[in-house]
């Protein structure tokens, strides 16, 4: 009789199902992680875009105050370079009007606006991107505290490394006695120290990255606290700004948003103003390679400790007004921008969703 035929043995059905389920779960986890990362990126982009809108509006509206404030900060009583010796903010505005008319109040606006937008977008974008990735990896517990401040400061450091030349040029243009173009400022800085002159005050700028980081972290915590007090719901203050457990985030009112911005700005500016003053002194003139401490020490020896706070009134006047508008605009437009970006992203990638669904169907089969 012929030998019995060997029948190929099929793998157990249960084994195949377990393997397929594992692959489906892995793909599902990968797709979920991709969506979370995409949402974090969209949130960072929306926050940066909203901050830029507020920054552009306040830069244009309050530029005359910024111009006079910067000149007061750059002035010293014993300087030999013919600085702007304004008695105060009002005197500075009137002096500019008498000498150069209304157009003089906006001298250097293009360079300042360019620097402001670039710095704001990079600072907020990098900081929120780092914070979003951290929260995805480790959760949101404690994100409104030290870690949020550290990550936003790192984002500011990355920003200032790229935008400091624009800031140095803007400072040189706005504090120059004679009309100075962007090209003229570039040639002047290059003659003083080559490429390194454009990064004057880099180390102190890294320290001053605490300013926007502390400002934004304070705004986030105050915002969450206000929402929490408004609703009367006990619970930890989170960095997501929801102030509770509702699925739909709340917004501050038209009165609450500017108050939060003003309180946060008062707190942060009171802490770091002497560093701001020293940085402007470094950027406004040729300091022959001296550092921040040397510049502040020289200013103290000539004019006393009060020289460290020269221009504080003008700084506060401009900063408080701009913070009021800037963070009100950010509060109102950030969520619509985020929704718009998210909608456009969904429309751009319909094929990705179909491919994912097709993979899931194939695995199920």
């Amino acid at each position: 009789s012929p030998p019995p035929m060997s029948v190929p043995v099929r793998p157990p059905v249960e084994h195949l199902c377990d393997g397929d389920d594992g692959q489906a779960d892995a793909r599902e986890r990968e797709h979920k992680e991709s969506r979370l990362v995409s949402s974090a990126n969209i949130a960072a982009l929306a926050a940066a875009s909203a901050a830029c809108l507020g920054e552009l509006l306040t830069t244009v509206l309050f530029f005359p105050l910024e111009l006079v404030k910067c000149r007061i900060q750059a002035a010293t009583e014993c300087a030999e370079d013919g600085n702007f010796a304004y008695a105060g903010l009002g005197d500075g505005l009137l002096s500019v009007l008498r000498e150069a008319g209304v157009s003089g109040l906006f001298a250097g606006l293009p360079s300042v606006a360019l620097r402001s937008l670039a710095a704001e977008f990079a600072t907020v974008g990098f900081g929120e991107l780092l914070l979003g990735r951290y929260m995805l990896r480790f959760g949101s517990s404690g994100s409104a505290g030290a870690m949020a401040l550290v990550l936003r400061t790192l984002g500011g450091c990355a920003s200032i490394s790229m935008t400091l030349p624009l800031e140095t040029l803007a400072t040189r243009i706005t504090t120059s006695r004679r009309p100075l173009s962007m090209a003229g400022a570039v040639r002047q800085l290059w003659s003083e120290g080559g490429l390194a002159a454009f990064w004057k005050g880099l180390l102190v700028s890294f320290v001053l990255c605490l300013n926007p980081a502390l400002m934004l972290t304070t705004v986030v915590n105050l915002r969450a606290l206000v929402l929490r007090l408004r609703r009367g719901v006990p619970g930890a203050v989170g960095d997501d700004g929801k102030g509770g457990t509702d699925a739909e985030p709340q917004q501050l009112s038209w009165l609450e948003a500017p108050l939060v911005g003003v309180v946060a700005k008062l707190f942060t500016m009171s802490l770091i103003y002497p560093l701001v003053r020293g940085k402007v002194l470094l950027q406004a003139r040729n300091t022959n390679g001296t550092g921040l401490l040397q510049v502040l020490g020289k200013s103290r020896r000539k004019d006393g400790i009060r020289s460290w706070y020269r221009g504080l009134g003008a700084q506060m006047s401009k900063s408080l007004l701009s913070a009021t508008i800037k963070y009100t605009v950010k509060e109102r437009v950030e969520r619509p921008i985020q929704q718009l970006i998210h909608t456009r992203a969904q429309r751009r990638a319909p094929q990705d969703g179909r491919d994912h669904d097709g993979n899931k169907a194939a695995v199920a089969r």
Side-chain angles (χ1 to χ4, degrees), residues 36-347:
L36 290 174
V37 171
S38 178
S39 297
N41 293 342
I42 290 174
L45 180 59
S49 301
C52 279
L53 287 177
E55 182 70 20
L56 178 61
L57 180 61
T58 56
T59 297
V60 175
L61 286 177
F62 301 116
F63 183 78
L65 300 180
E66 173 69 19
L67 177 72
V68 174
K69 180 265 299 182
C70 191
R71 289 177 175 178
I72 292 175
Q73 289 174 338
T76 59
E77 292 181 359
C78 303
E80 299 90 6
D81 54 357
N83 55 196
F84 293 91
Y86 300 146
L89 184 61
D91 177 62
L93 292 172
L94 291 175
S95 297
V96 174
L97 278 174
R98 286 194 300 266
E99 295 174 7
V102 175
S103 62
L105 293 174
F106 295 90
L109 176 58
S111 61
V112 172
L114 178 61
R115 182 263 301 170
S116 297
L117 289 177
E120 189 72 17
F121 186 87
T123 298
V124 177
F126 286 144
E128 296 307 296
L129 184 63
L130 290 173
L131 182 58
R133 295 300 178 90
Y134 173 83
M135 292 173 66
L136 285 178
R137 185 173 180 85
F138 300 104
S140 59
S141 60
S143 60
M147 187 52 66
L149 181 61
V150 169
L151 293 175
R152 286 174 175 139
T153 302
L154 290 177
C157 290
S159 166
I160 204 68
S161 299
M162 297 183 294
T163 62
L164 186 59
L166 293 175
E167 182 175 340
T168 305
L169 286 170
T171 301
R172 185 59 62 95
I173 291 171
T174 55
T175 59
S176 174
R177 257 297 183 183
R178 293 177 297 178
L180 186 63
S181 65
M182 179 78 79
V186 169
R187 289 193 296 269
Q188 190 178 94
L189 284 168
W190 186 267
S191 66
E192 291 177 5
L195 195 60
F198 292 86
W199 272 269
K200 276 186 177 182
L202 179 61
L203 294 180
V204 67
S205 294
F206 284 153
V207 177
L208 284 174
C209 288
L210 280 170
N211 181 23
L214 186 60
M215 175 71 183
L216 188 54
T217 302
T218 305
V219 165
V220 167
N221 283 275
L222 287 176
R223 181 184 188 278
L225 179 61
V226 169
L227 292 175
R228 177 182 160 196
L229 292 175
R230 182 208 290 175
R231 299 176 62 214
V233 177
V237 176
D239 194 69
D240 57 2
K242 295 181 182 180
T245 57
D246 290 347
E248 184 68 20
Q250 291 183 314
Q251 280 187 327
L252 297 177
S253 69
W254 289 98
L255 177 61
E256 293 166 340
L259 285 177
V260 165
V262 166
V263 173
K265 178 57 72 174
L266 275 172
F267 173 67
T268 55
M269 188 52 63
S270 299
L271 292 178
I272 52 86
Y273 184 77
L275 297 178
V276 174
R277 160 83 164 146
K279 178 182 174 183
V280 174
L281 288 173
L282 283 173
Q283 293 176 330
R285 56 180 57 84
N286 186 5
T287 54
N288 297 318
T290 56
L292 174 69
L293 296 180
Q294 290 85 351
V295 167
L296 288 177
K298 182 179 179 181
S299 177
R300 182 187 61 80
R301 288 191 298 272
K302 285 186 175 181
D303 305 325
I305 197 72
R306 63 186 177 86
S307 66
W308 290 0
Y309 295 90
R310 186 187 302 278
L312 178 60
Q315 176 76 54
M316 284 296 190
S317 300
K318 185 262 179 185
S319 295
L320 294 182
L321 288 172
S322 64
T324 299
I325 295 177
K326 178 179 175 179
Y327 286 98
T328 301
V329 170
K330 185 177 183 295
E331 175 72 17
R332 291 291 161 177
V333 305
E334 182 173 351
R335 200 194 318 169
I337 290 176
Q338 187 171 345
Q339 292 171 344
L340 176 62
I341 297 173
H342 186 70
T343 301
R344 291 179 65 87
Q346 285 183 325
R347 289 177 180 174

